[in-house]
Amino acid sequence: MAVTDEAIEKIKDMIVSGALRPGDRLPKESELAAELGLSRNSLREAVRALSLIRILDVRQGDGTYVTSLDPQLLLEAMSFVVDFHRDDTVLEFLAVRRILEPAATAMAASRIGEQQLDALAAQLDALGAEPSVEELVACDLEFHRGIVQSSGNSVLCSLLDGLSGPTTRARIWRGLTQEDAVARTLREHRAILAALRDRDAEAARSWATVHIASVEQWLRSSL
């Protein structure tokens, strides 16, 4: 592992220094191994590891390339790791969402367009007054994703997208067991949307905090 770690660090240094740029093709395996003072086997293992976390793109019959290094692409690896969470860590994921998502919602208040606001409103209208829990949770994911995308920060958007998965099960259980969960969620969505229409960043932040904290509070009391 130490040899593979060294190989990973050397490739990383080439990318960070600019010797290899996004979209560049790596030299042939034999040439790169000789240049970096590595065995071909350790280089091969390093390339495999870096391709798993979307740093490198191995194209059969074509070669190995540096990816675009776009934040959304790189953070896919985090989403993969997050999928292995234990149920007792869901509260921790919700706590992180409660820190990040209200900030993203506040940022969106000055950036989100009227067309996007209308689309969010139409999405809520289409649910009706008594949607199923599954329909509500699916809408909840899309509703918040649409707002966060309007924050203008692709890193924040990718982080929150990755964090939303582990909390989905908690939201479904809440909808099934808490009497007013569906109606409350719809009211909170409407309040967030109204604050965004008013371009009131602090009100949007506050309602987003209340929205996430209510799920967190329910889960804490249920464990």
Side-chain angles (χ1 to χ4, degrees), residues 61-198:
D62 187 18
T64 299
Y65 293 78
V66 180
T67 68
S68 65
L69 303 180
D70 180 82
Q72 189 167 1
L73 181 68
L74 299 182
L75 287 168
E76 282 181 10
M78 185 195 75
S79 299
F80 179 78
V81 172
V82 163
D83 285 340
F84 288 93
H85 78 284
R86 303 184 313 275
D87 285 349
D88 59 358
T89 62
V90 173
L91 277 170
E92 295 180 13
F93 285 111
L94 279 167
V96 175
R97 273 193 69 206
R98 182 160 47 83
I99 294 167
L100 297 179
E101 196 159 302
T105 305
M107 291 167 64
S110 62
R111 295 176 171 87
I112 193 165
E114 289 297 327
Q115 188 174 357
Q116 177 66 3
L117 288 168
D118 290 342
L120 292 173
Q123 189 181 70
L124 294 180
D125 291 340
L127 274 178
E130 297 182 1
S132 68
V133 173
E134 291 78 10
E135 288 172 334
L136 181 64
V137 170
C139 176
D140 185 77
L141 290 170
E142 288 305 312
F143 180 81
H144 293 290
R145 183 180 288 121
I147 292 172
V148 172
Q149 285 174 345
S150 297
S151 71
N153 188 312
S154 60
V155 174
L156 189 54
C157 186
S158 298
L159 277 171
L160 284 166
D161 215 31
L163 289 169
S164 64
T167 64
T168 299
R169 191 188 307 173
R171 281 175 279 180
I172 290 174
W173 274 111
R174 180 197 181 206
L176 292 171
T177 59
Q178 192 175 33
E179 187 176 343
D180 66 339
V182 172
R184 177 192 254 182
T185 299
L186 290 172
R187 287 196 303 271
E188 289 166 354
H189 280 184
R190 295 283 184 192
I192 292 169
L193 186 57
L196 291 173
R197 281 202 185 279
D198 290 341

